[in-house]
Amino acid sequence: MGQNDLMGTAEDFADQFLRVTKQYLPHVARLCLISTFLEDGIRMWFQWSEQRDYIDTTWSCGYLLASSFVFLNLLGQLTGCVLVLSRNFVQYACFGLFGIIALQTIAYSILWDLKFLMRLSRTSWAQLS
C-alpha cells in the first residue's frame, strides 16, 4: 500500500464522515463558541450565594444590588447562549454577551488585575505560536 493509496483512503473516509456529520457541525461549532458563557451561567446558578457575597463585599453595594447584579449576569449569559444556539436574534445575543464581558471586567476588577492579564496574555501568545 503506497502513500497515494493511503491518502486516497483518508480522503474517502473524511468525505464520508463529513457527509454524515455535516448537518450537526454548525450546532457543535456554536456550542463550542458559547461554552464559556454557558459554563459560567450554570456555575453562577450553583454558586449564587458566593457570587452575591463577593460582589457585596467587593463593592459594598448591599444584598439587593449584589443579587440584582448576579441575576442580570446569569440571565444575560444563559439567554444569550439560548439565542445563539437557536439561531434567533444572534447579532443581539452577541452584543448582549459582549456587554456581559464588559460588565464582568469592571465588576470583578479584572481590568486592573495585572496577574490575571499577564496569565491571559501568556495563554494568548501560547495559542498563537
Side-chain angles (χ1 to χ4, degrees):
M1 188 174 211
Q3 186 175 4
N4 289 335
D5 292 336
L6 184 61
M7 288 300 289
T9 304
E11 286 178 4
D12 291 341
F13 176 76
D15 286 340
Q16 180 65 24
F17 179 77
L18 286 176
R19 260 187 251 121
V20 172
T21 61
K22 188 176 183 177
Q23 61 186 354
Y24 303 109
L25 289 178
H27 303 293
V28 171
R30 283 186 196 89
L31 183 63
C32 289
L33 288 172
I34 57 103
S35 62
T36 301
F37 295 105
L38 188 61
E39 180 271 331
D40 197 32
I42 293 170
R43 184 176 46 79
M44 278 193 174
W45 177 266
F46 288 106
Q47 295 179 346
W48 179 272
S49 59
E50 290 92 348
Q51 295 288 326
R52 182 197 57 229
D53 293 342
Y54 177 79
I55 293 297
D56 186 23
T57 304
T58 303
W59 292 96
S60 301
C61 59
Y63 180 86
L64 183 63
L65 197 57
S67 296
S68 299
F69 171 79
V70 174
F71 180 71
L72 175 70
N73 210 348
L74 171 92
L75 188 67
Q77 289 187 68
L78 294 181
T79 302
C81 290
V82 168
L83 289 174
V84 167
L85 286 176
S86 67
R87 299 190 303 186
N88 293 319
F89 306 107
V90 174
Q91 188 173 8
Y92 296 116
C94 290
F95 285 135
L97 292 172
F98 180 74
I100 294 293
I101 291 172
L103 190 64
Q104 284 182 350
T105 300
I106 294 167
Y108 291 109
S109 304
I110 294 171
L111 189 59
W112 299 279
D113 186 3
L114 189 60
K115 191 164 102 176
F116 177 80
L117 292 175
M118 295 308 262
R119 184 179 71 208
L120 183 65
S121 67
R122 183 181 65 209
T123 304
S124 299
W125 281 109
Q127 290 174 351
L128 289 175
S129 45

